[in-house]
């Protein structure tokens, strides 16, 4: 950089002129030398015309382009999170005794074994469909950890969708909002470092302290009615003390991303993402009549260009703007999962938490026959897989995966 001193006073004009000319001359000389060296270096590293250059291993702009590589989570060593205020606000009252009794312990052993088997079969089917499958590292989540602000044990690396968001050639680590998930990123770091070394961009969002101030310690939940009232008033267990978000509260449609303010994603977190992705991408806040907003993809799941599944139990308040933009809004049928099947961390609407392999293929629960019919009517082939026990840990196919690479280009679908 050329730094020029401003010299004032009549008799010093000549001195100033000589000094500036001298500085400019030296700077231009250095500039020419640097350009010459840079050109030589560029020529030295220029690939041979027939040499193959590896494309970026990370690239996805939406939820439906042809899937080439995916991260699938692990149920191994999964543990029940301690029953803290943020966990209470995100779980159903009938399961609170379960959390109070078993928080910090492993999920029921036989149930967990079945979940692991189901996810292995899911991986095999993805490979059969031509998708490269990657997995996070197995980690011992029972180890207690302590920060200056809290003490906790871990949970799992089952739901990569919650922590990783791919936007273009960038992989973004979400900060999360549950203390039991503070160190969850460690299971994915070997993979992310590999992608980075091969050319991907890697961003870690600001890590929250998760101090007590991030949570409304007196969040008044006693019933579903309480939840409805608080959500309608825009009150959530997370405050605006510092940015926090789960990646699963965002969903992509080319240059537009849609997000909800939820129990785990606050406005500061959304604003961080908005500024980070601007000006190429626009982040739109949408909301739903939902007593327990947490993760958008079992409420509003975009499955194709201008095609979205919208949960009839949790209608979108801004749905008219999608219709005006020419989108087709499909209300999926009621889920068929039986009432006695444990869903410790989610609702039955995981039936619509599907994974698109491309515009004409979808991975869907083998037991949900009515949604199979819905997809067939839309001209979409269903790849049926049973992950009913894996559902109990808090996610469907979309939750259990993060799409690393899809074959497509950046386009605008929302006008």
């Amino acid at each position: 950089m050329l730094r020029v001193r401003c010299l004032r006073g009549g008799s010093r004009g000549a001195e100033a002129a000589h000094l500036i000319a001298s500085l400019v001359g030296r700077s231009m000389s250095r500039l020419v030398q640097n350009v010459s060296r840079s050109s030589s270096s560029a020529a030295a590293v220029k690939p041979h015309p027939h040499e193959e250059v590896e494309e970026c291993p990370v690239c996805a702009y939406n939820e439906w382009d042809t899937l080439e590589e995916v991260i699938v989570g692990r149920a191994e060593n999964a543990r029940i999170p301690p029953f803290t205020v943020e966990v209470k606000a995100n779980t159903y009252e009938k399961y609170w005794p379960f959390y109070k009794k078993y928080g910090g312990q492993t999920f029921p052993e036989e149930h967990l074994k079945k979940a692991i088997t189901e996810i292995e079969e899911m991986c095999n089917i993805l490979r059969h469909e031509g998708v490269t499958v990657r997995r996070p590292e197995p980690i011992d989540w029972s180890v207690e950890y302590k920060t200056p602000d809290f003490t906790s044990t871990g949970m799992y690396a089952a739901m990569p969708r919650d922590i990783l968001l791919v936007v273009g050639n960038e992989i973004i680590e979400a900060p999360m909002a549950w203390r039991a998930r503070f160190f969850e990123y460690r299971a994915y770091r070997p993979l992310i470092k590999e992608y980075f070394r091969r050319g991907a961009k890697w961003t870690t969002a600001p890590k929250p302290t998760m101090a007590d101030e991030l949570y409304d310690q007196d969040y008044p939940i006693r019933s579903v009615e309480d939840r409805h009232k608080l959500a309608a008033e825009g009150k959530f267990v997370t405050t605006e003390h510092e940015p926090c978000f789960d990646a699963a509260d965002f969903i992509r449609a080319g240059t537009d991303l849609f997000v909800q303010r939820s129990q785990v994603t606050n406005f500061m977190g959304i604003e961080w993402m908005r500024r980070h992705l601007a000006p190429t991408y626009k982040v739109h806040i949408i909301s739903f009549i939902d007593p327990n907003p947490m993760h958008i993809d079992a409420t509003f799941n975009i499955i194709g260009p201008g095609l979205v599944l919208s949960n009839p139990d949790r209608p979108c308040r801004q749905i008219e703007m999608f219709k005006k933009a020419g989108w087709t809004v499909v209300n999926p049928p009621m889920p068929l999962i039986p009432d006695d099947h444990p869903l410790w961390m989610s609702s039955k609407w995981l039936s619509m938490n599907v994974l698109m392999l491309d515009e004409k293929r979808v991975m869907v629960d083998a037991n949900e026959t009515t949604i199979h019919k819905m997809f067939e009517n839309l001209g979409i082939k269903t790849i049926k897989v049973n992950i009913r026990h894996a559902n109990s840990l808090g996610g469907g196919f979309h939750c259990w995966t993060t799409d690393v690479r899809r074959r497509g280009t950046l386009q605008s679908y929302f006008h």
Side-chain angles (χ1 to χ4, degrees):
M1 179 184 293
L2 172 64
R3 293 188 178 90
V4 179
R5 288 184 294 167
C6 294
L7 303 175
R8 302 187 182 188
S11 63
R12 293 194 172 184
E15 178 189 346
H18 285 300
L19 175 61
I20 292 172
S22 173
L23 288 169
V24 170
R26 288 199 299 270
S27 296
M28 289 302 295
S29 176
R30 285 195 299 269
L31 178 62
V32 170
Q33 291 171 1
N34 288 338
V35 169
S36 176
R37 281 197 297 268
S38 297
S39 300
S40 300
S41 299
V45 300
K46 185 177 180 180
H48 189 276
H50 301 294
E51 183 179 336
E52 188 173 320
V53 179
E54 183 182 16
E55 62 182 354
C56 184
V58 171
C59 190
Y61 298 107
N62 56 50
E63 310 288 339
W64 62 84
D65 280 339
T66 301
L67 184 62
E68 295 183 336
E69 185 164 336
V70 70
I71 299 172
V72 178
R74 285 190 180 277
E76 287 87 345
N77 306 325
R79 299 186 79 81
I80 302 156
F83 194 54
T84 51
V85 63
E86 73 273 19
V87 173
K88 182 178 181 181
N90 284 280
T91 51
Y92 291 98
E93 186 177 4
K94 70 176 184 177
Y95 293 119
W96 290 350
F98 172 81
Y99 282 96
K100 288 177 181 177
K101 184 175 182 179
Y102 299 110
Q105 301 179 45
T106 186
F107 283 94
E109 185 177 355
E110 288 305 311
H111 197 102
L112 199 56
K113 285 180 179 178
K114 291 177 181 177
I116 291 169
T117 301
E118 289 171 351
I119 297 304
E120 288 297 331
E121 178 61 12
M122 172 185 163
C123 290
N124 290 334
I125 292 171
L126 282 166
R127 294 184 187 104
H128 180 75
E129 293 294 324
V131 180
T132 298
V133 175
R134 310 299 301 274
R135 310 294 300 278
E137 293 294 306
I139 284 180
D140 181 2
W141 300 106
S142 68
V143 177
E144 186 177 86
Y145 49 85
K146 184 176 183 179
T147 79
D149 298 288
F150 68 90
T151 300
S152 184
T153 49
M155 192 167 127
Y156 55 32
M159 311 293 163
R161 186 74 57 176
D162 298 355
I163 191 170
L164 301 177
L165 178 66
V166 171
V167 181
N169 67 346
E170 179 179 13
I171 189 161
I172 300 171
E173 276 185 39
M176 312 299 283
W178 283 18
R179 288 170 167 175
R181 307 187 76 175
F182 190 85
F183 287 112
E184 193 166 316
Y185 68 87
R186 294 178 65 246
Y188 299 94
R189 279 291 175 88
L191 276 176
I192 297 171
K193 287 189 289 186
E194 177 197 320
Y195 292 136
F196 177 72
R197 291 185 181 111
R198 291 169 55 196
K201 291 176 67 178
W202 170 19
T203 299
T204 299
K207 195 70 174 173
T209 62
M210 297 191 188
D212 288 348
E213 290 84 356
L214 180 58
Y215 312 101
D216 180 351
Q217 300 293 333
D218 300 312
Y219 193 67
I221 297 177
R222 289 173 295 277
S223 65
V224 173
E225 288 72 25
D226 287 337
R227 292 174 184 265
H228 272 291
K229 183 180 178 182
L230 291 165
E233 293 172 354
K235 295 179 180 177
F236 305 91
V237 71
T238 46
T239 68
E240 297 296 329
H241 174 67
E242 56 191 346
C244 68
F245 64 86
D246 280 12
D249 270 323
F250 293 82
I251 198 155
R252 304 155 302 170
T255 56
D256 297 275
L257 285 83
F258 302 92
V259 62
Q260 65 172 349
R261 201 322 182 174
S262 76
Q263 301 286 18
V264 292
T265 296
N266 63 13
F267 288 121
M268 285 189 75
I270 294 171
E271 179 60 16
W272 183 89
M273 280 286 283
R274 187 189 68 78
R275 295 185 198 179
H276 178 72
L277 294 174
T280 304
Y281 301 91
K282 294 180 181 178
V283 175
H284 308 265
I285 300 175
I286 56 178
S287 61
F288 307 89
I289 301 173
D290 183 359
N292 191 44
M294 179 184 175
H295 303 165
I296 201 169
D297 49 0
T299 300
F300 197 79
N301 196 356
I302 304 173
I303 60 169
L307 180 61
V308 62
L309 301 182
S310 184
N311 190 325
D313 267 6
R314 308 169 192 161
C316 177
R317 292 186 175 95
Q318 296 81 16
I319 199 64
E320 287 304 315
M321 77 175 184
F322 291 93
K323 292 179 179 178
K324 287 178 182 178
W327 285 37
T328 300
V329 178
V330 178
N331 296 131
M334 292 297 293
L336 301 179
I337 191 165
D339 290 337
D340 62 352
H341 185 78
L343 289 170
W344 298 301
M345 308 180 73
S346 56
S347 78
K348 292 184 179 183
W349 283 104
L350 291 177
S351 58
M352 63 173 282
N353 187 258
V354 296
L355 177 68
M356 302 303 296
L357 305 189
D358 56 36
E359 286 186 45
K360 295 299 180 182
R361 289 181 300 158
V362 61
M363 183 164 277
V364 64
D365 194 285
N367 304 285
E368 297 288 340
T369 55
T370 52
I371 207 167
H372 301 168
K373 187 68 176 176
M374 180 203 76
F375 280 115
E376 289 165 10
N377 291 339
L378 292 170
I380 298 172
K381 178 184 177 182
T382 54
I383 310 298
K384 303 174 184 68
V385 187
N386 178 21
I387 61 166
R388 188 65 39 102
H389 292 86
N391 287 158
S392 301
L393 302 187
F397 298 102
H398 201 255
C399 297
W400 275 93
T401 58
T402 285
D403 35 338
V404 173
R405 191 173 63 258
R406 289 182 179 271
R407 192 186 315 131
T409 57
L410 180 61
Q411 298 181 46
S412 174
Y413 305 95
F414 185 71
H415 307 286

